[in-house]
Amino acid sequence: MNYRVPQPVPQVILDDVRGAQKMLSGVSRVTAMEGSRHLSALTGSPVHLKCENLQRTGSFKLRGAYVRIAGLRPEQRAAGVVAASAGNHAQGVALASSLLGVRSTVFMPVGAPLPKVAATQEYGADVRLHGQVVDETFLAAQEYADRTGAVFIHPFDHRDIIAGQGTVGLEILEQCPEVRTILVGIGGGGLAAGVAVAVKALRPDVRVIGVQAAGAAAYPPSLKAGHPISIDEPVTMADGIKVGRPGDVPFKIIAELVDDVRTVSEDALSSALLLCLERAKLVVEPAGCSTVAALLSEPELYGGGPVVAVLSGGNVDPLLLQRILRHGMAAAGRYLSLRLRVADRPGALAGLLAVLSVVDANVLDVSHVRTDPRLGLTEVEVELHLETKGPEHCAEVARSLHGAGYKVMS
């Protein structure tokens, strides 16, 4: 992908972030900081959640988009702006443009979730669906900029974007001055770079740790190589951080200022989303809870002082949320699928369910197969989906079935 970054890579400093904070006064919200007793007990340190999922448009993206568009010259504003995004950046650009009276065109992939497309339109953008993947959408937006003179608003690779996102870091220091570690999700790197600029200038003793999805982790190999490199076909449920190449501008900052970059699995992401929903009563998208996934995966790394985990966004498609919650329950040992064979006689299924009732396993779904050629003449196959109370309860269910003479096949 051609990011068109000018050379040399521009610098972002604390004064840029402070200027962005003044610009955003009355525009973006100072989002809440919520404590988490569960995560605090897990890590042995106080854990606070910085709730950018409650920001206007549902993510931190409004901050950078507004600062970038507000900094355009009058003739640039008159030409309008264009962006490419699968969701959060699209909504941030759309609202920022509307607030500033600038015409916006946003290219989104054909398969973008309908709620995100509708929200972007409602914020005032002219939405155009193009391409099956974001790379194709980016190319279409850049071609549109060349053809019309509209200013292309990059989601992370511009100093104004980074300065705007850095205001999250200033708020963290104001809300939790005793903080020792800040966790920030990383896609292209705009948020992590901005937070690092603000925090390290004022509190160099604070650790800033980036978090990437393991299937879309371009930063670890790039940092090792000393320059941004691309990874082929990033794969993760966390669309907000599904970026195949670091931005040149944020990469330089992250390489200099961020203390470490950790990766998290898909299981950890789904478990983190479930935890945020159940324990914190917060709807957070997979990318937004990558920081919580890091705490769940390696809690021993975050002792020694208060931790702030940035929840970067809450824009999750309801259908995807449903699938992720089931995946999260399975990862947490609270959703169990079993397949077993029972005798083909009246009452056999009732007997099986009675065993499950004794151990208090909640049956969500039952599939009863009698015609599979692999089955014996006098047997049927039963597939069960159960809601359980955790790994120990799953083991208890398995022991009870075995004790009752059932052979579990999967």
Side-chain angles (χ1 to χ4, degrees), residues 68-301:
R68 173 76 172 102
I69 297 169
L72 297 177
R73 300 186 302 274
E75 63 272 19
Q76 291 176 310
R77 292 196 189 192
V81 299
V82 61
S85 168
N88 288 344
H89 180 59
Q91 293 173 65
V93 168
L95 179 57
S97 300
S98 294
L99 293 173
L100 291 164
V102 176
R103 184 178 69 258
S104 63
T105 302
V106 175
F107 285 79
M108 303 181 75
V110 172
L114 292 179
K116 295 185 178 183
V117 174
T120 304
Q121 292 172 326
E122 289 171 8
Y123 286 128
D126 173 19
V127 174
R128 304 190 181 189
L129 301 179
H130 184 93
Q132 299 299 320
V133 296
V134 175
D135 282 5
E136 295 173 357
T137 310
F138 253 80
L139 181 60
Q142 290 176 331
E143 290 174 346
Y144 177 89
D146 292 339
R147 186 173 71 254
T148 66
V151 179
F152 181 68
I153 307 298
H154 199 284
F156 51 81
D157 217 359
H158 193 279
R159 60 175 299 172
D160 291 345
I161 295 287
I162 293 170
Q165 321 305 28
T167 59
V168 174
L170 295 180
E171 289 179 15
I172 289 172
L173 295 182
E174 293 165 2
Q175 294 171 307
C176 186
E178 68 278 14
V179 64
R180 299 294 300 169
T181 303
I182 298 173
L183 289 164
V184 190
I186 298 183
L191 176 61
V195 169
V197 167
V199 170
K200 290 295 188 177
L202 296 170
R203 287 281 307 280
D205 59 304
V206 174
R207 290 192 304 165
V208 178
I209 297 178
V211 183
Q212 290 207 288
Y219 264 89
S222 295
L223 291 169
K224 185 176 181 179
H227 58 84
I229 62 174
S230 299
I231 59 171
D232 296 330
E233 298 182 4
V235 178
T236 176
M237 69 175 77
D239 285 346
I241 54 175
K242 186 180 177 181
V243 178
R245 181 189 186 277
D248 291 86
V249 183
F251 176 81
K252 182 175 186 295
I253 296 168
I254 288 170
E256 292 177 358
L257 299 180
V258 170
D259 296 279
D260 195 8
V261 176
R262 312 299 297 181
T263 61
V264 293
S265 68
E266 299 298 285
D267 281 353
L269 286 168
S270 57
S271 295
L273 188 149
L274 181 62
L275 184 144
C276 287
L277 188 62
E278 286 191 324
R279 299 297 183 93
K281 315 306 178 190
L282 293 168
V283 176
V284 186
E285 63 189 275
C289 64
S290 61
T291 53
V292 174
L295 292 172
L296 293 176
S297 300
E298 300 175 294
E300 69 280 0
L301 297 182

Side-chain angles (χ1 to χ4, degrees), residues 347-361 363 400-401 404 406:
L349 180 59
L352 171 61
L353 297 179
V355 173
L356 297 173
S357 176
V358 170
V359 291
D360 200 27
V363 178
S400 296
L401 290 170
Y406 294 100

Side-chain angles (χ1 to χ4, degrees), residues 354-407:
V355 173
L356 297 173
S357 176
V358 170
V359 291
D360 200 27
N362 186 31
V363 178
L364 300 176
D365 189 34
V366 178
S367 176
H368 194 249
V369 179
R370 306 183 63 160
T371 57
D372 193 310
R374 294 171 298 177
L375 294 172
L377 185 62
T378 60
E379 63 182 1
V380 296
E381 185 172 286
V382 177
E383 184 174 353
L384 297 165
H385 300 281
L386 310 174
E387 183 181 2
T388 58
K389 300 172 184 177
E392 292 182 2
H393 192 205
C394 289
E396 182 185 359
V397 170
R399 286 194 300 269
S400 296
L401 290 170
H402 179 74
Y406 294 100
K407 182 178 180 181

